[in-house]
Amino acid sequence: VKDGSPSLDPGPGSLPFQFKIFLPSETNQNMTIFQRLSGSDGYSLFVSSSASTTTASVCFYATSGSASIVLSSSIDKGSWKDVCAQFNRKPGVNRLFLYFDGELSASSSISYEFSSFDTRGSQLVIGSGSTHSGTGFSFEPTQLHSGAMDDFKVFHKARTVQDISSLVSGKLNLTYRDWE
């Protein structure tokens, strides 16, 4: 960003992440995919502990002060998956969304308009993280990310299903300000 403004803070805007992930066909403990926390404000995407070798639960949290939104969905292990984790902060939406391979997998059951969302000064951590607690939940990672990731992108505006699918199919049509 040429003007020096933070590129990973959503401010009042939406914040989608899109990447490819491979989770091995093995049991796993709690592991963070990515996380950015500053005090009680932040977001985390993680995989919950699973004894299954075929599926796991991917969870997405966003917190600001005492407010929180939580979302989870099942993902297959043993194959590459395109994931889009999106905090859509458009007026009237204000929800978390998870897309797998270009298809909507889950959306948060509640909508909440955060008055602020400030993670300035904190790092975006990929593959590890710390405990993330909010109203009614707490997640503590117990292992580093086990698997592989590729093509990690951060966007600065809400993504449509067509936008998400275009990355899955490899037909990109992005401008510089769309991603970092």
Side-chain angles (χ1 to χ4, degrees):
V1 178
K2 293 180 181 182
D3 67 2
S5 62
S7 60
L8 294 176
D9 283 312
S14 297
L15 191 62
F17 299 87
Q18 193 164 351
F19 55 93
K20 294 174 183 13
I21 192 166
F22 181 90
L23 297 174
S25 299
E26 60 189 30
T27 63
N28 65 275
Q29 299 300 311
N30 286 344
M31 57 185 171
T32 304
I33 297 173
F34 66 83
Q35 180 180 75
R36 188 153 193 231
L37 294 176
S38 178
S40 60
D41 288 1
Y43 45 85
S44 296
L45 186 74
F46 64 87
V47 179
S48 290
S49 178
S50 174
S52 172
T53 59
T54 59
T55 62
S57 182
V58 173
C59 302
F60 193 18
Y61 287 169
T63 56
S64 179
S66 63
S68 61
I69 303 177
V70 180
L71 166 66
S72 68
S73 185
S74 180
I75 191 169
D76 293 333
K77 294 179 177 179
S79 63
W80 282 96
K81 294 289 181 189
D82 185 274
V83 176
C84 180
Q86 176 166 222
F87 183 17
N88 187 328
R89 296 187 69 201
K90 285 184 177 179
V93 180
N94 291 302
R95 293 180 189 272
L96 300 177
F97 295 88
L98 277 174
Y99 297 84
F100 298 143
D101 294 331
E103 301 286 328
L104 178 64
S105 181
S107 63
S108 55
S109 59
I110 63 166
S111 172
Y112 190 84
E113 186 174 337
F114 289 105
S115 58
S116 67
F117 197 76
D118 184 9
T119 54
R120 283 188 301 242
S122 64
Q123 295 180 346
L124 174 67
V125 181
I126 299 173
S128 70
S130 58
T131 299
H132 189 171
S133 297
T135 305
F137 74 88
S138 182
F139 170 77
E140 182 178 354
T142 53
Q143 80 174 66
L144 295 175
H145 172 63
S146 173
M149 287 179 79
D150 193 19
D151 205 19
F152 192 91
K153 290 180 173 46
V154 180
F155 295 89
H156 294 227
K157 64 180 184 177
R159 310 274 294 149
T160 65
V161 173
Q162 183 179 359
D163 294 335
I164 294 164
S165 295
S166 70
L167 280 180
V168 174
S169 67
K171 297 178 182 174
L172 286 178
N173 186 17
L174 301 174
T175 65
Y176 171 76
R177 285 302 303 160
D178 287 338
W179 63 283
E180 296 293 320

